[in-house]
Amino acid sequence: MSSGPAGQVTGSSLRPSLETARRTPSRRFLRTVDDVTIDAEYDPGTRPSGDLAIVVAHGFTGDLDRPHVRRAAAALSRNAAVVTFSFRGHGRSGGRSTVGDREIHDLAAAVAWARELGHRRVVTVGFSMGGSVVLRHAAHYGSAGREHGGRTEARTDAVVSVSAPARWYYRGTAPMRRVHWLVTQPMGRAITRGYLRTRIHGGGWNPVPASPVESVPMIAPTPLLIVHGDTDGYFPVDHPRMLAEAAKGHAELWLERGMGHAEHAADNELLARIADWAAAHAGQVMTPRGGREFDDRA
């Protein structure tokens, strides 16, 4: 399962004015460059005069209609317009999940749609599997990606990766061993299809895509925020630290006390801080500096 160029938005290529586009929530199907139909929704948020859109990339077995995804999107929409979508193989989207490989096409289509709607600044915020996808997407469609033919309308202006793995095939925790069983075994894939509304590609990766930690060095100078809970049951804290180290000072690291995994564990206060960070950093250039661990506010 290889990666390729950016996705595209179905329908008219005309770009409505920013003020007109922002006032109207909408839901539509997007089409990726590899011809997969992606279910997506646009919320103009509570600041329709701003130019910022946040694209939310959910975790494995999520989709845009799941309560935890909608809650996260609603919290972020207090600071910006929000695009949510369902990855391939999830919910009403077509195709089958490749668990982090071709999903960069899905994210590219959603980012391109946000720009079609008139947003000049677009930030990607991903959780768990989505956290790995936003890293790989930013590497592929950032400065280096454009040099290799990446489409500029699919680029992101800042990246927030929450609860992401640093490396593939991690089985060091019981939850991840269960995930690997669901993905690799026919019975596991049947369970995810029947009970979790997630259809998984059974062929495996060929070739193996670049891992998140291999992708991070290619993201600079696009601003990057890495968020992780110190009680994450899926990926221990060596994962975010490995990602931050790979950024060589171009990323900010927040290790959150008492936080578990992904959207379920991200409370509204944390999501508000993420949205504030996105508004402050989108379109800026991240200069090398040390990251910070834990929130030092009272």
Side-chain angles (χ1 to χ4, degrees), residues 57 87 100-101 103-104 107 128-138:
F87 279 120
D101 179 12
E103 281 74 12
I104 62 170
L107 180 57
S128 192
M129 182 189 77
S132 69
V133 173
V134 298
L135 296 173
R136 296 190 59 244
H137 167 270

Side-chain angles (χ1 to χ4, degrees), residues 183-218:
V183 171
T184 61
Q185 298 302 311
M187 180 61 72
R189 292 193 294 273
I191 289 172
T192 60
R193 182 176 62 251
Y195 292 96
L196 300 174
R197 297 188 303 181
T198 303
R199 305 168 306 281
I200 303 171
H201 190 285
W205 286 333
N206 184 22
V208 176
S211 69
V213 74
E214 291 170 330
S215 301
V216 163
M218 295 184 284

